[in-house]
Amino acid sequence: MKRGSNMEKLSIVVPCYNEEEVLETFYKTVKEIMKNVKIELEYIFIDDGSSDNTLNIIRKLSKENKE
């Protein structure tokens, strides 16, 4: 998005604690729902000390997706 643009932005804050089993499904589902909405979208994943693979999945999603 260009600076000065009038496009609205939606920030989705996602607290995560041991969410490795559902994190990618959550992301893909929200992305599918929002694909036709004309709004800038960003995800903010917050890992709250997970002891599973949650943080690695967040990093993977971040590398693969600009949101």
Side-chain angles (χ1 to χ4, degrees):
M1 182 173 94
K2 295 181 181 179
R3 289 186 178 252
S5 170
N6 291 331
M7 182 179 276
E8 293 183 32
K9 183 176 194 175
L10 174 63
S11 299
I12 299 176
V13 180
V14 186
C16 302
Y17 182 75
N18 294 337
E19 303 294 346
E20 70 179 357
E21 293 182 19
V22 297
L23 203 52
E24 289 182 278
T25 301
F26 166 82
Y27 174 79
K28 290 175 185 176
T29 301
V30 173
K31 188 172 183 174
E32 179 67 23
I33 291 168
M34 297 299 291
K35 73 180 181 182
N36 293 319
V37 177
K38 303 294 184 216
I39 191 167
E40 182 182 1
L41 182 63
E42 77 174 338
Y43 296 84
I44 302 170
F45 290 95
I46 302 170
D47 181 37
D48 195 18
S50 296
S51 59
D52 64 359
N53 202 32
T54 296
L55 184 57
N56 290 330
I57 294 170
I58 292 170
R59 287 179 176 150
K60 178 182 171 240
L61 288 171
S62 178
K63 285 183 182 179
E64 295 175 352
N65 303 280
K66 65 179 180 167
E67 300 90 10

